[in-house]
Amino acid sequence: MNARKRLIAFVTFIAGLYFVLEFIVPPTVPLVTVTGVALSKRLPVFQLETASGQNAVVEADPSVTFYVLRRSKSGTFEPKPQRSREIQKGQIVTVRTRTVTLGGFGPNGERLDSNGNPIVLRQGEVPYTTDGPDTSLPVWSFEKLMGRVGPDGEAILAMLDEGEAINIEIRDAKVADVDRGQIVLKMNGESRTVPITDYSVIMLNKRRSQPEEVEMHSVQVGDTVSIGPNTWLRDQRDTATQFYAVVGTLALGMGLISLGVVNIRKIKKRESEWYTAFLFFGAIVIGVLAGLGKYELTGTRSRAFSDIIVLQVINAMGSSIFSLLAFYLASAAYRAFRIRTAEAALMMGTALIVMLGQTPFGMYLTGWMIGTFEFLQLPNVAGWILRTPSSAFVRALQFGAMLGAIATALRYWLNLERVAGMGDD
Amino acid sequence: MENANWQVLVLMLLFSGVILWKISSARKGKELYIRPIPGLNAIDEAVGRAAELGAPLLFNPGLADFQNIQTLAALGILQHVCKVAATYGTRIIVTTNVPVMVPICEDVMKSSFNEAGRPEMIHASEVRFVSDRSDLAALANSRILIEEKVASNFLFGAYDYTSLIFSEGGQIAGCMQIAGTADYYQIAFFIPSCDYVVMVEELFACSAYLSRQPTMLGSVVGQDYGKLVLLILVVIGVLAATIFGHGNPINLYEQVMNLK
Amino acid sequence: MWKLLAKLDKVDRKVIYLTLFIAAGLPFFVSIRIPVKPWKETEAAFNLVDSCPEDKVVAICSNWTAGSQGENWGQYEAIVAHCMMKKIKLVVFSLDGDAIAPQMAEAVNETQARKYGRQYGVDWVNLGRTVGAPLTMAAIGRNLKSVFPRDLRGYATNDSAKLPILQGVNGCEDFQILWAIEYQPNVDWMVWLDPSGTTPIAFASAGIVTTSWYPYLSSGQMKGMMAGIRGAAEYEDLLRQKYGKRYLDSDPRPRGGRLLVPLAFGHLVIIAFILIGNLGTLAVKRMKRSAQ
């Protein structure tokens, strides 16, 4: 086996292995996982060091969301939600501890929430507004939260109306320590305390459906849960998806290059109808402009241009091509559907019943059959044919296609397929 | 992961085991029989027709991406078509609507021509990306059939509603056409317009049928054994539903338990 | 007589095309209404959408484009009209579809929104297009916002001010139903979206491919289906039956019902020519026999 063939075989095997593992390996490591009924729990607690040097303690209850900065498609860094079990010591995180809806003011001028309780900020917490173009605008300081005047003479939070929401967050804090908590499970009649580690996954077992990963705070007393070490592949699924999407998009460029080469050659060699190659390049320019305008708001010129090209030109042309099918179908059906054998007659009869049954004419023709003979109405007969015998045949075809696909996939995966270009020269 | 369950594990092991067992039997020298598939037997005839007329062949590996199993099967057929075309000295044009298939098809063609001892044929043949839209690819295909005066048209792989435009275009151009797809609802469109149609699982048996290699033949036979296993499971399921099915009027189990 | 009938064996293609053109084109100029009787698959999907609670959304994977709009546009329009009329929240995206699919869907969304007075970001959102099935389907099921960090208009999906509709929407557990609308929807939705298999899935596809979906309907993996133009017409009829004037006032002649008439006539033409062709073949056989 030469090096190229070995490389192709290895890459193919690894890529196929991922899909195989997706359907075989459970999310937690078997035999090490413990399963039982939840009796009680202690939520994870995160010790944070804020950018200003303060120490904060956050318990991962349902109102808490952790964010980690990730690079977005536009190249900027944006906070992305992260599961609490994925937050590791030393990581820089932003924690939204809660979202509060503002109420009125208390007797001492303190700001209340919508339930009439005073808004109390714990150490390290800073309130941020949720609306406006920049949701990262901090609501100055705790004093201002109390409704007092800001340094520029304006009451900032006091300006926020009752019913407006603020996010209370700890931004850019370093995770100093993590206590993942524990769950007490009832297993085989005994209770057992299961500590949650950095690599634990909690799966909620449901009757008659697949287990689902949940956060600790979602576990209720009485739930049957499985706790075990995570399989590393699980957390890389999003990466795999993005890689897949990137490769798919890269391929578009290759197609354009191929078309460009063909058309340039056409112009150079003055092949038949070579002037159509100019139309190709013109169409690329128009397509790019139309594509850029697609994201503009309705009413702008570029959006209007894009809509004209897509909705009126391409739309109409696409429909015309599709309409070819109807005519081709009619001529192909006329040419080919001749009854020469008994099987052909049976097929023809079935086709006529199903075709007429799916159009209202079937009801016109047989709608008079009511009562005991209602089942003989063409739509009912057509429906029965589609739901019963046709379904059975489709299943049989799908079994065959599925097994063929499995066999072909196995051959490629295990490098048993002898196809040139796949390393077998 | 979340999709994992023991039923999938058992079925995967069962089917893979049967297929691998048959592959290993074939490798040990056991003779295996596959019934004749007319569509594949006609490939040589189609290439010969093109050679007689001095016209090129047109091959389309379907509309799906490289990861689609039908496209992989189509590449196996392309390899065979290239080898036969090389012996006749017939030019091949491959059209595709998936950009990533361009270098893959070129590679398959180059390797096949090299293997047939005619490496210079790659310069006469070409792979064309026509459009990423299936309807435009179908029209482009039809145009090439007429412009290049193609003698034989091969349509193998995954197709959608444009299958009839692909095949009817060839019918109007007067080409000999061989089509093959696992999309069974497109077969109804291919049959009136094509001379030969390779249906569903026959497409997946193509590589084995054409190359006659023991490993590949073994996997095809293994497929059929897998179907037998499924058939047995279906029969067991039907019997079980009949005997034990809750709410089934002829539920024998309930009747027996009630009697006790 | 047989000699005359034998001519029917070789009718020119142009005659077939012209007849089909007239039969399919006439209903656009002459108003013909045909009553429809909804099939149970359409009813099931309709009831599921109609019973959508406030905390859930109807998700639509809209991959239909210019080529398949004949079948899919009416289906999509009916579902969007239903959701917008009842103020059911709608999340639309495209997965592995044509590049213009989101734009075509958005044109329908905006039209229906104007009719029913709905607001973008509050009542519906269009997340644009992405690629990478089937892994992306699983990612959508787990965390929709991770797949679509921005929507079609460029708003961040985490921005609850611009897109409050997505505030409580995380994954498939928040979908009342997932509709896949294209010529031939991807079967992988049933496998990859929700490993537990509890998220209802419905397909709105071309009529020809619906034969493949009946096994999934009978096993319960798919909860409903719209079969081509007929499905769209049936859905509109169900809307008409339930909401009457409220639906009809905004669109007296919806697309599905309008297109069903040319479809029905087209079917009749095809059936007629098949019978004519067989009559011609029979006549040719008779002539050969009598010549012998």
Side-chain angles (χ1 to χ4, degrees):
Chain A
M1 240 209 260
N2 63 33
R4 181 173 173 238
K5 191 176 175 185
R6 233 177 270 155
L7 176 67
I8 290 172
F10 175 72
V11 171
T12 311
F13 184 78
I14 294 297
L17 186 65
Y18 175 82
F19 280 91
V20 170
L21 293 177
E22 174 75 27
F23 284 94
I24 290 180
V25 173
T28 51
V29 178
L31 303 178
V32 183
T33 305
V34 291
T35 304
V37 176
L39 296 175
S40 65
K41 66 187 181 206
R42 194 183 79 229
L43 291 175
V45 173
F46 292 81
Q47 309 271 354
L48 304 172
E49 279 172 17
T50 68
S52 55
Q54 290 179 308
N55 291 327
V57 177
V58 174
E59 191 180 59
D61 61 34
S63 63
V64 171
T65 312
F66 291 87
Y67 294 87
V68 170
L69 283 179
R70 289 265 149 82
R71 191 184 286 277
S72 70
K73 283 180 189 171
S74 56
T76 57
F77 281 96
E78 286 180 1
K80 300 264 189 255
Q82 190 93 343
R83 282 180 286 226
S84 60
R85 71 162 174 88
E86 291 173 293
I87 305 293
Q88 302 293 338
K89 200 170 157 181
Q91 223 174 343
I92 306 294
V93 297
T94 291
V95 184
R96 181 171 297 166
T97 54
R98 57 199 183 282
T99 300
V100 175
T101 307
L102 295 174
F105 290 87
N108 300 323
E110 73 275 23
R111 196 70 199 247
L112 305 175
D113 64 19
S114 55
N115 295 324
N117 303 316
I119 298 172
V120 176
L121 293 180
R122 297 185 281 257
Q123 191 159 10
E125 289 181 347
V126 176
Y128 290 85
T129 54
T130 59
D131 58 359
D134 183 356
T135 58
S136 68
L137 190 69
V139 183
W140 209 252
S141 70
F142 183 59
E143 285 73 27
K144 305 305 167 292
L145 180 65
M146 300 296 284
R148 288 196 277 269
V149 176
D152 50 1
E154 289 172 345
I156 298 166
L157 190 57
M159 286 170 66
L160 292 179
D161 294 332
E162 202 171 317
E164 283 199 50
I166 53 169
N167 288 329
I168 300 192
E169 298 177 358
I170 303 171
R171 292 203 172 190
D172 302 324
K174 188 175 173 185
V175 179
D177 198 11
V178 182
D179 173 7
R180 301 275 175 198
Q182 65 190 34
I183 294 182
V184 178
L185 296 179
K186 185 174 174 188
M187 296 165 54
N188 302 323
E190 293 174 0
S191 64
R192 179 175 157 184
T193 302
V194 180
I196 307 299
T197 67
D198 285 352
Y199 306 103
S200 294
V201 167
I202 304 170
M203 303 293 292
L204 179 66
N205 296 335
K206 298 181 212 172
R207 273 190 77 197
R208 300 170 116 198
S209 67
Q210 295 294 99
E212 180 194 353
E213 187 192 347
V214 293
E215 296 262 18
M216 171 91 91
H217 57 71
S218 303
V219 176
Q220 307 294 330
V221 172
D223 285 342
T224 305
V225 293
S226 299
I227 304 170
N230 186 19
T231 50
W232 175 82
L233 282 167
R234 231 177 107 69
D235 293 333
Q236 307 313 314
R237 278 180 300 184
D238 287 343
T239 309
T241 311
Q242 286 158 12
F243 176 75
Y244 205 69
V246 165
V247 169
T249 315
L250 273 175
L252 270 173
M254 295 165 70
L256 270 177
I257 291 168
S258 166
L259 270 176
V261 162
V262 166
N263 283 281
I264 288 171
R265 187 183 65 205
K266 219 173 179 181
I267 296 172
K268 271 189 183 170
K269 291 187 179 175
R270 296 288 194 267
E271 290 174 12
S272 70
E273 294 179 349
W274 61 272
Y275 48 85
T276 56
F278 287 110
L279 286 177
F280 164 74
F281 291 109
I284 287 186
V285 172
I286 293 172
V288 167
L289 291 172
L292 288 171
K294 182 165 97 167
Y295 300 103
E296 301 297 327
L297 288 172
T298 316
T300 54
R301 260 197 208 170
S302 39
R303 174 69 188 267
F305 175 73
S306 174
D307 282 348
I308 288 171
I309 297 296
V310 171
L311 299 175
Q312 291 174 32
V313 177
I314 295 178
N315 205 9
M317 291 198 290
S319 309
S320 311
I321 298 168
F322 193 69
S323 68
L324 274 179
L325 270 182
F327 296 99
Y328 279 173
L329 191 61
S331 65
Y334 166 77
R335 192 179 60 239
F337 293 162
R338 302 295 167 98
I339 300 173
R340 294 190 176 93
T341 59
E343 291 91 356
L346 180 64
M347 190 199 78
M348 192 69 58
T350 314
L352 285 177
I353 291 170
V354 172
M355 277 177 81
L356 285 172
Q358 297 220 43
T359 61
F361 291 120
M363 207 53 202
Y364 275 151
L365 287 170
T366 53
W368 50 271
M369 293 183 186
I370 52 173
T372 327
F373 296 104
E374 196 177 332
F375 71 96
L376 285 175
Q377 287 176 357
L378 274 174
N380 293 335
V381 178
W384 178 84
I385 289 172
L386 287 169
R387 287 177 202 119
T388 311
S390 171
S391 279
F393 302 144
V394 165
R395 280 194 194 99
L397 283 170
Q398 284 172 342
F399 285 159
M402 175 201 72
L403 282 161
I406 289 175
T408 308
L410 257 179
R411 290 201 305 265
Y412 273 96
W413 187 41
L414 301 174
N415 196 36
L416 299 171
E417 181 78 16
R418 316 284 289 176
V419 174
M422 299 293 287
D424 177 40
D425 295 330
Chain B
M1 292 132 221
E2 279 106 353
N3 289 299
N5 56 52
W6 65 267
Q7 297 97 322
V8 171
L9 174 63
V10 165
L11 283 175
M12 277 186 88
L13 288 176
L14 196 59
F15 293 135
S16 308
V18 165
I19 291 167
L20 291 171
W21 164 52
K22 276 291 149 194
I23 288 175
S24 115
S25 306
R27 276 184 160 175
K28 283 175 191 160
K30 191 172 176 188
E31 282 286 320
L32 295 170
Y33 170 76
I34 294 182
R35 65 166 173 82
I37 300 174
L40 300 178
N41 289 337
I43 288 177
D44 287 12
E45 182 194 335
V47 177
R49 180 175 187 265
E52 277 174 20
L53 293 171
L57 304 166
L58 184 63
F59 189 99
N60 184 282
L63 304 172
D65 208 344
F66 178 64
Q67 75 210 2
N68 190 301
I69 211 79
Q70 295 185 65
T71 311
L72 294 174
L75 286 178
I77 301 169
L78 174 62
Q79 182 185 5
H80 176 79
V81 168
C82 287
K83 283 183 189 164
V84 177
T87 54
Y88 287 106
T90 311
R91 191 164 78 98
I92 300 180
I93 302 168
V94 175
T95 57
T96 175
N97 73 321
V98 180
V100 81
M101 289 297 293
V102 171
I104 292 169
C105 291
E106 279 176 354
D107 209 36
V108 169
M109 287 167 71
K110 206 188 294 184
S111 307
S112 304
F113 290 139
N114 282 339
E115 212 175 302
R118 299 286 299 270
E120 73 280 4
M121 295 244 359
I122 190 64
H123 302 296
S125 303
E126 62 180 317
V127 180
R128 291 190 204 175
F129 167 75
V130 287
S131 168
D132 67 328
R133 288 170 52 130
S134 57
D135 43 4
L136 299 179
L139 288 182
N141 224 56
S142 302
R143 187 184 166 94
I144 293 171
L145 286 169
I146 294 168
E147 265 183 8
E148 303 276 351
K149 296 185 180 55
V150 170
S152 301
N153 187 18
F154 299 94
L155 303 164
F156 286 94
Y159 287 91
D160 60 9
Y161 64 91
T162 53
S163 58
L164 188 58
I165 303 178
F166 274 101
S167 56
E168 194 71 5
Q171 220 277 330
I172 292 169
C175 308
M176 179 173 173
Q177 298 198 101
I178 305 176
T181 182
D183 295 321
Y184 31 86
Y185 27 84
Q186 305 306 335
I187 289 171
F189 294 131
F190 280 141
I191 285 176
S193 338
C194 296
D195 298 281
Y196 296 91
V197 178
V198 172
M199 290 187 262
V200 196
E201 53 221 297
E202 290 174 350
L203 178 70
F204 300 120
C206 280
S207 295
Y209 188 86
L210 294 169
S211 65
R212 293 282 160 179
Q213 285 176 359
T215 307
M216 316 263 264
L217 285 174
S219 83
V220 171
V221 174
Q223 267 173 242
D224 281 350
Y225 274 82
K227 256 179 269 175
L228 192 59
V229 167
L230 269 175
L231 183 62
I232 293 169
L233 283 173
V234 166
V235 170
I236 292 172
V238 166
L239 287 172
T242 308
I243 298 169
F244 300 104
H246 180 67
N248 191 330
I250 52 168
N251 188 320
L252 299 174
Y253 178 71
E254 275 181 9
Q255 287 177 21
V256 165
M257 293 309 289
N258 287 340
L259 276 174
K260 277 187 180 170
Chain C
M1 190 191 75
W2 291 119
K3 199 175 173 184
L4 200 64
L5 286 174
K7 286 185 184 170
L8 297 176
D9 187 46
K10 291 254 183 298
V11 173
D12 194 1
R13 197 183 280 136
K14 296 183 194 68
V15 172
I16 302 173
Y17 293 168
L18 184 63
T19 315
L20 187 61
F21 178 74
I22 294 169
L26 202 63
F28 288 105
F29 302 100
V30 178
S31 178
I32 303 170
R33 285 182 188 264
I34 306 182
V36 290
K37 188 177 167 220
W39 286 32
K40 58 182 185 184
E41 291 83 19
T42 317
E43 274 180 14
F46 176 87
N47 290 333
L48 207 48
V49 173
D50 205 49
S51 58
C52 181
E54 269 194 33
D55 61 335
K56 292 207 172 186
V57 299
V58 167
I60 304 182
C61 174
S62 169
N63 285 346
W64 61 277
T65 180
S68 57
Q69 64 175 338
E71 307 243 30
N72 295 135
W73 189 341
Q75 296 166 339
Y76 185 75
E77 207 168 52
I79 297 169
V80 171
H82 189 185
C83 291
M84 293 209 175
M85 183 172 49
K86 277 206 74 178
K87 223 175 181 214
I88 295 169
K89 286 179 267 188
L90 202 53
V91 174
V92 180
F93 55 87
S94 172
L95 175 59
D96 281 339
D98 202 87
I100 63 172
Q103 208 164 345
M104 299 201 61
E106 194 61 6
V108 176
N109 295 340
E110 285 172 358
T111 311
Q112 294 299 320
R114 271 194 298 276
K115 282 182 190 164
Y116 295 105
R118 301 296 173 229
Q119 194 187 344
Y120 186 85
V122 176
D123 301 297
W124 98 91
V125 64
N126 190 329
L127 297 173
R129 176 181 177 264
T130 189
V131 296
L135 290 179
T136 312
M137 293 170 177
I140 287 171
R142 285 192 306 272
N143 188 347
L144 180 68
K145 290 169 196 161
S146 71
V147 178
F148 298 101
R150 292 199 175 268
D151 71 346
L152 189 67
R153 299 187 185 190
Y155 304 148
T157 47
N158 278 323
D159 189 345
S160 52
K162 289 255 167 52
L163 300 175
I165 183 177
L166 290 179
Q167 215 169 3
V169 176
N170 297 312
C172 61
E173 67 273 12
D174 302 309
F175 295 170
Q176 166 72 354
I177 186 171
L178 175 101
W179 276 100
I181 304 181
E182 63 180 301
Y183 178 83
Q184 184 187 330
N186 195 335
V187 171
D188 288 336
W189 278 116
M190 286 178 273
V191 176
W192 288 84
L193 175 72
D194 183 0
S196 67
T198 49
T199 304
I201 290 174
F203 281 3
S205 66
I208 185 72
V209 299
T210 56
T211 44
S212 315
W213 312 142
Y214 285 98
Y216 299 104
L217 285 161
S218 75
S219 68
Q221 287 164 291
M222 202 189 295
K223 298 294 184 231
M225 177 179 77
M226 270 204 262
I229 296 170
R230 171 176 68 77
E234 287 168 5
Y235 203 97
E236 287 158 7
D237 192 59
L238 288 165
L239 281 170
R240 208 177 358 251
Q241 283 175 24
K242 185 148 188 192
Y243 299 104
K245 216 170 172 301
R246 197 170 145 204
Y247 174 60
L248 286 171
D249 274 351
S250 63
D251 194 352
R253 288 223 62 200
R255 190 170 298 268
R258 263 188 290 140
L259 292 178
L260 186 63
V261 183
L263 174 76
F265 279 102
H267 277 197
L268 282 183
V269 166
I270 291 173
I271 291 170
F273 273 105
I274 290 173
L275 294 173
I276 286 169
N278 280 288
L279 192 59
T281 308
L282 185 68
V284 165
K285 271 191 198 163
R286 284 289 172 98
M287 274 182 58
K288 279 184 186 164
R289 216 180 291 165
S290 55
Q292 284 167 5

